């Protein structure tokens, strides 16, 4: 592997903690390190262990295995030139070597939330269904008994002579968004015990997060030293802080005979006498436990969980244990398929399907402040967001039949409904959630509807129907940000300055880049679907006598009448000059005629208020101007405001965010709309490039947030995004 490969890997623990780095083992981001511990799950993410800088002495020759970028422009050492292979499955594994020796390293981040599983198998015809119930109970008085943030590292040596492995600790104590700088006010204490060392930062007289490192064999030597001026080139490109200082309290020396291993564990908190003994088998047990957890959640057979291995030089080929899979079989594999534009969907039992589900599980986390489940919007830098969670919910939970998780997420967000709005984000500690979204409440109802269609859980509907009615009442009567239904046409509008309430929410200097004030098209499509759901639900509750039947019947009729009014008014969005929808109707009644994907969103909901002719016309134009191999552009390239590359500093990137960047999650709405309006026509989308990206580009085993609008559509933004993965899952079954 002579080239310095900066593709990325990611490990998570279900609490917000993560580990991440690159194939070449060089750190390129502020977010690269081996233990970012979520001290207040899933927030408070703090870098504790950056990495172990390794060197190996064999037959009197010392070779450095690490690779670092430095602020002076140098790359040293150059251990990546000795790197023979990298494999991301089942856990990240590197192998370095020369003629007479080989050293491997593996990392695993064990699941950190104690969980109770209830399993039940139920015959349904000839199919056997396996369900998982995850218990998200409130944390106990001693969080350490509930939460466990740790990472396991294992080295294995093979060679003709004894090898001397030296591992130098590089550590920190800083917020995951920021870089660490050496200063007199930042010190680290260390307390050495038997085969372990306890470490804690002292920051201007205040104690940082305590943690400890333990190992199965070796001699530790305290040797405090600062390493200054690491360079983080990805941050340079993003116009952010790009220099880091790391502290080394000492190093571990291990003599390894051929076939020997040394296992290390970094764990948050002080050493605990109740901890299990660390052995060479601990690592394998942790890997097995995680595989068993995934098998139980998704109903896989133990014997059928072969993992995709690292790609060969031909990235179209991936090897499994004894099986060769070709990506060509996933997309257009022959001339006839290409000519007919027919792209077969992968077998749901394929290893790619399992890889997608494994990727989806990384986003499911426990939030301590609400004592319930939530969804990390994306790694590395996002927290949980209401809109993202609700859009991703069907793919993350309903398709893989994680119904109890879906129910828990809906309960969580429904419980925090205020003035008819669903939170778009939760605070890290006690405090009021953020309600800066017009559509989160409507997406909550849409996702609730999809959950009910999948489960027929009418008792849950009866419990949540007051929240549904609260949302309806607030939108009719008016709520924050001047969100209110226009009595003259029944459409939803809003009017507030300095905020962006739809999913196109970038704001620069207090000014939204895509303001969309007034009546956005997809918001009113959601409002129509909401009214249809409400009419349907009121009638269903009346039939089941889960409430006052007479009152519910009248409500069902009223909601249906409102939906009918909205159906007529939705025609205000039709632009006959373009045969497309206006993106929004502004407060002064001007129309925005930009070609954006929100028109496709409006066609994709469970209840659609638009006719066949309009739907086909919109999809034809969207296919021509917005569709790419990775999703839909956020703006037509011929538009004067189009920006084809997402690059530059924070302001420049925010200006490009919704002005042309390709959003992968939008491929889901496009497919749903296509299947509705062109049910007999082949989908004009080739899955192959997106699946190549999943397996061998960006963050290996996940899907990026966005891509450049211009070809070749380089992946940008968060390297692993929940709704990107979720929407692919939703249409790969």
């Amino acid at each position: 592997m002579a080239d310095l490969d900066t593709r990325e890997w990611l490990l998570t623990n279900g609490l917000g903690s993560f580990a991440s780095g690159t194939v070449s083992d060089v750190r390129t981001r502020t977010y690269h390190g081996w233990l970012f511990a979520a001290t207040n799950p899933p927030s408070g993410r703090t870098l504790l262990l950056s990495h172990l800088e390794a060197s190996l002495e064999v037959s009197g020759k010392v070779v450095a295995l690490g690779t670092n970028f430095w602020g002076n422009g140098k790359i040293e050492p150059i251990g990546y030139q000795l790197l023979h292979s990298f494999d991301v499955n089942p856990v990240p594994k590197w192998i370095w070597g020369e003629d007479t020796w080989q050293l491997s390293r593996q990392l695993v981040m064990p699941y950190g939330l104690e969980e109770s599983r209830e399993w039940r198998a139920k015959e349904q015809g000839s199919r056997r269904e396996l369900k998982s119930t995850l218990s998200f109970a409130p944390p106990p008085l001693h969080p350490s008994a509930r939460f466990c943030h740790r990472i396991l590292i294992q080295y294995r040596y093979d060679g003709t002579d004894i090898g001397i492995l030296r591992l130098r600790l590089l550590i920190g104590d800083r917020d995951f968004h920021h870089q660490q700088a050496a200063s007199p006010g930042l010190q680290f204490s260390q307390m050495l015990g038997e085969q372990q060392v306890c470490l804690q930062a002292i920051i201007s007289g205040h104690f940082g997060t305590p943690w400890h490192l333990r190992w199965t064999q070796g001699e530790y030597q305290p040797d405090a030293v600062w390493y200054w001026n690491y360079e983080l080139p990805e941050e340079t490109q993003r116009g952010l802080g790009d220099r880091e200082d790391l502290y080394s309290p000492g190093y571990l020396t291990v003599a390894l005979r051929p076939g020997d291993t040394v296992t290390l564990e970094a764990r948050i908190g002080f050493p605990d006498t109740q901890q299990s003994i660390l052995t060479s088998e601990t690592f394998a047990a942790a890997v097995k436990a995680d595989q068993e957890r995934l098998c139980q959640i998704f109903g896989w057979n133990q014997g059928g969980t072969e993992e995709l291995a690292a790609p060969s030089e031909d990235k179209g080929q991936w090897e499994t244990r004894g099986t060769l899979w070709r990506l060509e079989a996933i997309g257009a594999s022959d001339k006839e398929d290409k000519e007919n534009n027919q792209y077969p969907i992968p077998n749901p039992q394929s290893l790619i399907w399992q890889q997608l589900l494994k990727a989806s599980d990384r986003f499911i986390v426990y939030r301590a402040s609400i004592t319930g489940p939530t969804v990390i919007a994306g790694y590395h830098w996002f927290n949980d967001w209401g809109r993202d969670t609700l859009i991703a919910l069907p793919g993350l939970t309903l398709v893989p039949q994680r119904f109890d998780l879906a129910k828990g997420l809906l309960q969580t967000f429904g419980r925090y409904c205020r003035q008819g709005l669903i939170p778009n984000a939760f605070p890290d500690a006690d405090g009021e959630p953020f309600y800066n979204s017009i559509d989160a409440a409507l997406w909550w109802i849409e996702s609730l509807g999809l959950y009910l269609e999948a489960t027929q859980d009418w008792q849950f509907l009866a419990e949540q129907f007051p929240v549904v009615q609260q949302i309806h009442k607030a939108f009719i009567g008016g709520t924050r940000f001047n969100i209110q239904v226009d009595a003259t046409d029944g459409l939803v509008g809003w009017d507030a300055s300095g905020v962006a309430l739809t999913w196109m929410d970038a704001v620069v200097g207090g000014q939204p880049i895509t303001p969309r004030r007034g009546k956005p098209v997809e918001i009113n499509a959601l409002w129509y679907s909401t009214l249809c759901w409400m009419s349907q639900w009121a009638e269903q509750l009346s039939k089941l006598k889960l409430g006052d039947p007479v009152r519910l019947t009248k409500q069902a009729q009223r909601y249906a009448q409102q939906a009918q009014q909205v159906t007529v008014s939705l025609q205000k969005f039709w632009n006959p000059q373009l045969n497309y929808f206006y993106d929004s109707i502004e407060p002064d009644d001007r129309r925005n005629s930009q070609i954006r994907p929100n028109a496709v969103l409006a066609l994709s909901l469970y209840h659609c208020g638009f006719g066949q002719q309009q739907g086909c016309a919109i999809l034809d134009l969207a296919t021509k101007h917005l569709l790419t191999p990775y999703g839909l552009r956020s703006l037509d390239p011929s538009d004067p405001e189009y920006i084809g590359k997402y690059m530059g500093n924070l302001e420049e990137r925010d200006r490009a965010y919704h002005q042309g960047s390709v959003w992968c999650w939008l491929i889901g709405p496009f497919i749903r709309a296509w299947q509705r309006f062109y049910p007999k026509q082949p989908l004009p989308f080739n899955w192959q490039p997106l699946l190549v990206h999943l397996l061998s580009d960006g963050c290996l085993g996940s899907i990026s947030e966005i891509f450049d609008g211009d070809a070749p559509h380089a992946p940008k933004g968060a390297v692993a995004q929940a709704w990107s993965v979720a929407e692919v899952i939703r249409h790969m079954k």
Side-chain angles (χ1 to χ4, degrees):
M1 297 178 66
D3 293 334
L4 206 159
D5 190 336
T6 56
R7 291 177 299 164
E8 299 175 69
W9 54 269
L10 174 70
L11 296 173
T12 64
N13 77 338
L15 294 174
S17 296
F18 69 87
S20 185
T22 67
V23 171
S24 291
D25 205 34
V26 62
R27 283 149 302 287
T28 64
R29 297 184 187 272
T30 302
Y31 306 96
H32 284 165
W34 291 2
L35 182 57
F36 286 92
T39 56
N40 182 27
S43 305
R45 285 174 275 189
T46 303
L47 174 68
L48 298 175
L49 174 61
S50 172
H51 65 287
L52 300 175
E53 193 76 14
S55 64
L56 185 70
E57 180 180 347
V58 180
S59 302
K61 177 185 176 182
V62 178
V63 292
L65 304 179
T67 301
N68 299 298
F69 289 118
W70 299 99
N72 61 7
K74 293 184 178 181
I75 302 175
E76 61 180 19
I78 51 175
Y80 72 94
Q81 294 185 350
L82 298 175
L83 188 58
H84 287 183
S85 68
F86 172 80
D87 190 350
V88 76
N89 285 302
V91 294
K93 180 180 181 179
W94 296 256
I95 299 178
W96 296 266
E98 290 186 306
D99 292 340
T100 60
W101 62 270
Q102 179 175 286
L103 183 76
S104 68
R105 184 191 70 205
Q106 298 183 84
L107 302 175
V108 65
M109 179 168 274
Y111 194 66
L113 176 65
E114 292 181 1
E115 56 179 342
S116 65
R117 298 187 184 95
E118 297 177 0
W119 301 102
R120 60 182 180 271
K122 182 169 59 175
E123 291 291 342
Q124 291 188 342
S126 61
R127 185 168 73 91
R128 193 170 184 83
E129 180 182 3
L130 187 64
K131 287 188 177 181
S132 166
T133 302
L134 297 184
S135 174
F136 291 94
L141 295 177
H142 302 286
S144 62
R146 176 67 173 169
F147 304 140
C148 184
H149 307 272
R150 60 183 178 131
I151 189 164
L152 290 163
I153 309 111
Q154 187 172 80
Y155 293 86
R156 176 187 170 90
Y157 171 75
D158 289 286
T160 57
D161 299 314
I162 291 177
I164 306 298
L165 178 65
R166 292 184 178 87
L167 303 172
R168 178 168 282 279
L169 282 66
L170 277 303
I171 69 172
D173 192 313
R174 58 137 171 109
D175 178 81
F176 76 138
H177 289 309
H178 304 128
Q179 299 81 39
Q180 179 172 266
S183 71
L186 175 58
Q187 300 177 344
F188 291 86
S189 68
Q190 62 176 317
M191 182 172 63
L192 188 60
E194 183 178 356
Q195 292 186 238
Q196 65 180 3
V197 59
C198 185
L199 300 153
Q200 188 172 27
I202 304 171
I203 308 168
S204 300
H206 299 282
F207 290 104
T209 302
W211 64 284
H212 60 282
L213 181 77
R214 55 184 184 144
W215 51 88
T216 54
Q217 61 169 316
E219 297 295 327
Y220 179 79
Q221 177 63 49
D223 182 32
V225 63
W226 277 97
Y227 283 71
W228 296 309
N229 208 26
Y230 288 93
E231 183 184 15
L232 304 168
E234 285 290 338
E235 308 305 344
T236 305
Q237 293 184 25
R238 298 172 68 226
L240 301 174
D242 59 358
R243 296 293 188 271
E244 173 108 279
D245 302 331
L246 294 173
Y247 181 77
S248 177
Y251 59 88
L252 182 71
T253 303
V254 191
L256 296 171
R257 295 185 301 273
D260 276 358
T261 63
V262 57
T263 304
L264 304 95
E265 179 192 61
R267 181 192 290 246
I268 191 173
F270 294 108
D272 184 352
T273 57
Q274 302 300 315
Q275 289 177 195
S276 60
I277 298 174
L278 184 67
T279 70
S280 59
E281 289 76 32
T282 303
F283 189 93
V287 174
K288 182 180 179 182
D290 191 59
Q291 290 178 318
E292 289 178 345
R293 184 182 68 85
L294 293 172
C295 288
Q296 291 170 335
I297 288 173
F298 297 118
W300 300 336
N301 295 323
Q302 266 312 114
T305 58
E306 292 179 295
E307 298 287 353
L308 291 161
S312 63
E313 291 183 359
D314 175 6
K315 288 186 179 180
Q317 296 182 352
W318 280 68
E319 292 184 358
T320 67
R321 302 186 189 98
T323 307
L324 182 66
W325 288 75
R326 293 183 178 274
L327 284 173
E328 284 83 352
I330 298 166
S333 58
D334 53 49
K335 183 178 180 181
E336 181 180 354
D337 276 348
K338 291 179 181 178
E339 290 176 350
N340 294 333
N341 207 20
Q342 294 174 345
Y343 303 119
I345 294 177
N347 184 332
Q349 302 306 317
S350 74
L351 301 185
I352 292 171
W353 176 246
Q354 293 184 7
Q355 188 73 16
L356 281 165
L357 294 182
K358 181 179 178 180
S360 75
D361 187 65
R362 295 190 181 111
F363 302 105
I364 309 300
V365 298
Y366 176 91
R367 172 167 276 282
S369 65
I370 61 175
T371 64
T374 188
V375 174
I376 292 292
Y379 292 98
H380 303 89
W381 46 76
F382 289 123
N383 260 10
D384 43 344
W385 293 90
R387 176 191 297 115
D388 295 54
T389 296
L390 295 165
I391 291 174
L393 186 147
L396 296 183
T397 66
L398 300 184
V399 174
Q401 298 187 22
R402 301 182 73 172
F403 298 131
D404 292 293
L405 175 57
K407 188 174 181 177
L409 290 168
L410 290 166
Q411 284 175 322
T412 293
F413 283 92
R415 188 165 69 245
Y416 284 88
C417 183
R418 302 288 186 275
Q419 298 182 42
L421 299 181
I422 294 291
N424 199 35
F426 289 104
D428 291 344
D430 294 336
E432 186 72 359
F434 303 105
Y435 292 89
N436 55 337
S437 164
I438 187 175
D439 55 344
L442 303 179
W443 281 116
W444 182 83
I445 290 176
E446 185 76 2
S447 295
L448 174 62
L450 296 175
Y451 166 80
L452 294 170
E453 289 297 304
T455 64
Q456 305 294 295
D457 188 354
W458 304 121
Q459 186 59 49
F460 183 64
L461 170 61
E463 295 169 7
Q464 299 300 315
F465 199 60
V467 180
V468 176
Q469 292 177 308
Q470 180 189 155
I471 293 169
H472 176 265
K473 182 178 179 180
F475 273 59
I476 294 291
T479 184
R480 301 180 186 185
F481 306 107
N482 292 317
I483 297 170
Q484 188 169 17
V485 169
D486 186 335
T488 63
D489 59 16
L491 299 178
V492 173
W494 68 282
D495 189 5
S497 61
V499 293
L501 302 186
T502 72
W503 77 274
M504 292 184 163
D505 56 0
V507 176
V508 174
Q511 294 299 316
I513 301 303
T514 52
R516 309 191 72 223
R517 287 163 65 180
K519 301 169 181 175
V521 62
E522 85 282 6
I523 301 302
N524 281 283
L526 279 163
W527 176 239
Y528 170 77
S529 192
T530 289
L531 294 170
C532 292
W533 284 121
M534 293 185 70
S535 178
Q536 176 181 322
W537 293 340
E539 186 176 349
Q540 180 70 20
L541 292 173
S542 174
K543 290 179 179 178
L544 296 175
K545 298 183 179 179
L546 293 173
D548 184 340
V550 175
R551 185 178 181 183
L552 286 167
T553 299
K554 291 181 179 179
Q555 289 174 342
Q557 294 171 349
R558 185 170 77 253
Y559 301 144
Q561 290 170 355
Q562 291 173 352
Q564 181 59 39
Q565 181 190 19
V566 172
T567 304
V568 175
S569 298
L570 285 174
Q571 290 305 306
K572 290 185 176 182
F573 289 100
W574 184 245
N575 181 347
Q577 282 73 40
L578 288 178
N579 283 336
Y580 205 74
F581 290 148
Y582 291 111
D583 191 62
S584 62
I585 301 173
E586 299 181 27
D588 61 4
D589 213 36
R590 287 181 299 169
R591 267 64 165 173
N592 183 325
S593 59
Q594 290 179 304
I595 298 175
R596 293 188 178 275
N598 302 306
V600 177
L601 263 177
L603 300 177
S604 68
L605 304 172
Y606 191 87
H607 300 281
C608 181
F610 301 101
Q612 181 75 19
Q613 186 174 355
Q614 290 180 342
C616 290
I618 286 164
L619 288 170
D620 290 346
L621 204 61
T623 300
K624 181 179 179 180
H625 294 277
L626 303 180
L627 182 64
T628 76
Y630 302 98
L632 300 187
R633 293 185 180 94
S634 45
L635 185 62
D636 174 12
S638 66
D639 193 290
E641 296 183 5
Y642 174 80
I643 301 175
K645 292 190 181 298
Y646 180 83
M647 58 188 297
N649 60 31
L650 179 60
E651 179 177 334
E652 291 170 325
R653 285 181 283 116
D654 279 348
R655 291 189 181 279
Y657 209 31
H658 302 104
Q659 297 291 77
S661 296
V662 173
W663 289 77
C664 182
W665 76 272
L666 291 171
I667 196 60
F670 179 84
I671 292 172
R672 290 192 290 280
W674 187 273
Q675 291 172 343
R676 167 176 279 145
F677 291 100
Y678 281 122
K680 297 182 180 180
Q681 296 294 320
L683 182 69
F685 179 73
N686 184 353
W687 283 104
Q688 185 181 24
L690 190 53
L691 295 178
V692 169
H693 169 76
L694 166 75
L695 299 178
S696 60
D697 195 13
C699 181
L700 302 178
S702 198
I703 302 176
S704 296
E705 175 190 14
I706 57 175
F707 298 78
D708 282 339
D710 289 349
H713 308 295
K716 299 290 178 67
V719 299
Q721 192 76 0
W723 56 11
S724 297
V725 172
E727 286 296 86
V728 173
I729 286 174
R730 200 166 167 184
H731 294 284
M732 294 288 288
K733 188 174 180 181

